[in-house]
Amino acid sequence: MEFKITTEYIELIKLLKVLGIAETGGHAKAIVDDGEVKYNGVVDYRKRLKVRPGDKIEVDGETINVV
């Protein structure tokens, strides 16, 4: 899946909400806290992580390429 951003970056928890992977901000934080998110191939626990074009997010068996 590809996700296009029009700004410099999007915070990880906001990305999870926009894509419908998380229902709420709290749910998005729990997904990150539980180590279910990989950022460029590595598990990352930073909720406010700035995701930029070129980054790859993996969650719930899905890969999101940010463009």
Side-chain angles (χ1 to χ4, degrees):
M1 164 192 311
E2 261 189 14
F3 181 77
K4 182 172 177 57
I5 59 174
T6 57
T7 57
E8 182 184 347
Y9 66 87
I10 184 170
E11 290 180 351
L12 179 58
I13 56 172
K14 290 181 181 176
L15 177 65
L16 296 177
K17 287 188 337 186
V18 167
L19 292 173
I21 295 168
E23 297 169 13
T24 64
H27 184 213
K29 289 176 184 177
I31 290 170
V32 175
D33 282 341
D34 290 345
E36 297 179 35
V37 178
K38 283 187 179 179
Y39 171 70
N40 294 328
V42 179
V43 173
D44 201 300
Y45 298 95
R46 295 176 289 169
K47 295 170 219 40
R48 301 285 180 197
L49 172 69
K50 294 176 179 175
V51 180
R52 301 175 193 275
D55 288 338
K56 184 189 303 183
I57 303 297
E58 297 172 60
V59 61
D60 203 25
E62 182 120 24
T63 300
I64 302 118
N65 293 306
V66 180
V67 295

